[in-house]
Amino acid sequence: MATMRAMSVAARGAKLRLEERPVPEPGRAEVLVRVQACGVCHSDTVTVDGRMPGLTYPRIPGHEVIGLIDAVGAAVSGWESGTRVGVGWSPGACGYCGQCRHSNRFACENIQGATGVTRDGGYATHMLAHASALARVPAELDSVESAPLLCAGITTFNALRNSGARAGELVAIHGVGGLGHLALQFAARLGFRVVAVNRGRDKEQLARSLGAHDYIDTNAGDAAAALRALGGARAIIATVTDAGAMQAIVGGLGANGTLMVIGGVGALTVDSLDLLRKRAAVKGWYSGTSVDSEDTLRFSERHKVTSMNEVYPLEEAQAAYERMLSGKVRFRAVLRVA
Ligand SMILES: [Zn+2]
Ligand SMILES: [Zn+2]
C-alpha cells in the first residue's frame, strides 16, 4: 500500500509530529493532491488549540496549499491529474443549497468547516480536497513562493476589493506582517492611496517599498487622529491579531469608512456615536472561496505581488510553526514538501 508522510497534531495542544499513513482514496467529489508546498498560518492555531466545532484528532493542519492533482474521484468533472491547484481555508461548496444558489458559497449549508481544521490539510505529502475547493495556479507562479497567496493573499486581496473603497481613496493597512506585507502590495496595485500603520519605524522603509504612500507609527501618537488628519480612511484592513489595537484605530475611519476585520480577536468595543455620525461600519470578512483564490493568484501573477517567505522542509513544521507564533518570521513561513 502506498504511504504518505504528514506532520499531524495527535491531540489538542500537542506538538506536530511526523506520521506515516496510507495515501487516501478520493471520494466521488474529491481529488487527491500531491502537495508541493504549504504555508504556515496563524490560523493553524485553531487546529493545534482545538478551537473549532467539528475538529477531531489526529488532524493535519495547513490551508495554504499548492500541489498537483494525483487522482480524481468518479463524479469530478473539469479537473484532471497533473493540473496544478491551490487549496485554501474554504473546504468547498455544494453548489445547490440555498446559500450557494444565492452566491454565498462561503456559507454553504452542506460543506462546512475549514481545510486543515475539520478535514486534513497540507502539512503532508498528499491530501484530499473537494473539487469545488480547487483553484487553478497560473504557470508563472512558483509553488513555494506562492503558497501564502492561498490564505494571507486571498484574505487581504478579497477584503480590499470588497471594502467599498474606490481607486484614489485612502486605505489603511494596519499591521505590516504576514498579511500586511501582501495587503500593501495589493492595495497599491488596486489604485488606492495607501497608508501603512504599524508599531515603530522599523518597517517603514519596507512598507514604502511595498507600495505605502504614507506611514503612521502607532508608538508616536494617536494613530486614529493621524488617519483623520489624512482625511479619514475609506477602509482599514485590520491584519493585527489584537482587539485593543483594532479598537485604537477604528476612530481613523472617514465618511462611509469600513473597518474590515479579517482575523478573529474576540470581542471588540467601538464607539457607536462615532460610527453613526460617519456612517461608518465594522465588517467581518471571510477570506474567500476557491474562485476568489484563483482571482488572487491571477492578479498576483499579472501585477507581480509576491510573498516574502522563510522556507522549511515538511519535517520541520514544528519549528516553522513556532517561528510563525513568535511573530519574528519575515513574513510567512512555508513548508517545502516536494
Ligand atoms: Zn490562514
Ligand atoms: Zn452549498
Side-chain angles (χ1 to χ4, degrees):
M1 191 184 347
T3 59
M4 58 175 267
R5 284 175 297 121
M7 294 298 287
S8 68
V9 184
R12 184 177 178 161
K15 285 196 178 352
L16 294 154
R17 53 105 207 251
L18 184 65
E19 191 191 337
E20 225 169 81
R21 46 166 99 170
V23 174
E25 290 273 326
R28 283 177 56 77
E30 290 180 326
V31 303
L32 175 67
V33 177
R34 192 146 46 80
V35 179
Q36 295 174 314
C38 183
V40 175
C41 178
H42 194 270
S43 299
D44 295 335
T45 58
V46 171
T47 305
V48 174
D49 300 340
R51 283 188 282 112
M52 191 185 270
L55 167 54
T56 57
Y57 296 101
R59 179 60 74 220
I60 304 169
H63 58 268
E64 291 188 335
V65 190
I66 294 183
L68 299 172
I69 295 180
D70 208 37
V72 176
V76 173
S77 45
W79 300 95
E80 43 192 54
S81 286
T83 302
R84 194 160 58 128
V85 291
V87 185
W89 178 259
S90 170
C94 74
Y96 58 80
C97 73
Q99 292 291 4
C100 283
R101 289 163 63 214
H102 282 103
S103 302
N104 295 320
R105 292 170 70 86
F106 76 94
C108 176
E109 293 160 21
N110 292 311
I111 301 181
Q112 293 171 341
T115 307
V117 186
T118 54
R119 55 183 295 143
D120 285 330
Y123 287 19
T125 56
H126 297 74
M127 70 175 273
L128 296 176
H130 196 273
S132 64
L134 302 176
R136 282 175 207 283
V137 181
E140 254 185 47
L141 295 184
D142 177 79
S143 296
V144 174
E145 268 177 36
S146 306
L149 297 174
L150 273 304
C151 177
I154 177 185
T155 301
T156 50
F157 176 69
N158 217 21
L160 280 162
R161 68 177 183 167
N162 287 287
S163 68
R166 296 189 305 167
E169 293 183 321
L170 184 69
V171 169
I173 306 301
H174 187 202
V176 181
L179 271 68
H181 90 289
L182 288 165
L184 288 169
Q185 297 176 60
F186 286 126
R189 287 156 176 80
L190 286 164
F192 301 123
R193 180 183 172 196
V194 184
V195 53
V197 181
N198 204 63
R199 220 181 300 148
R201 293 269 167 195
D202 296 3
K203 295 181 185 163
E204 177 173 0
Q205 208 180 349
L206 174 78
R208 289 184 184 277
S209 75
L210 294 172
H213 307 109
D214 287 289
Y215 185 92
I216 295 171
D217 171 6
T218 55
N219 284 346
D222 181 347
L227 274 179
R228 290 196 299 274
L230 292 173
R234 181 62 202 274
I236 300 173
I237 309 297
T239 75
V240 293
T241 53
D242 172 57
M246 281 188 205
Q247 283 160 199
I249 200 168
V250 64
L253 290 172
N256 301 308
T258 303
L259 176 79
M260 299 293 275
V261 178
I262 56 179
V265 295
L268 277 177
T269 302
V270 295
D271 179 349
S272 52
L273 181 61
D274 186 51
L275 287 187
L276 70 87
R277 68 185 183 79
K278 291 175 180 168
R279 298 200 321 203
V282 176
K283 187 178 174 76
W285 190 259
Y286 179 92
S287 67
T289 58
S290 55
V291 76
D292 298 310
S293 289
E294 212 163 281
D295 289 350
T296 304
L297 292 166
R298 286 217 189 99
F299 185 93
S300 300
E301 180 198 39
R302 200 172 290 132
H303 298 283
K304 311 286 180 229
V305 174
T306 53
S307 179
M308 297 166 71
N309 301 332
E310 294 180 7
V311 181
Y312 294 77
L314 172 64
E315 289 75 11
E316 287 175 27
Q318 179 63 30
Y321 180 78
E322 285 170 16
R323 176 84 174 147
M324 176 278 297
L325 277 185
S326 76
K328 291 183 186 137
V329 64
R330 293 290 176 268
F331 280 95
R332 299 295 283 185
V334 178
L335 303 176
R336 183 194 298 278
V337 180

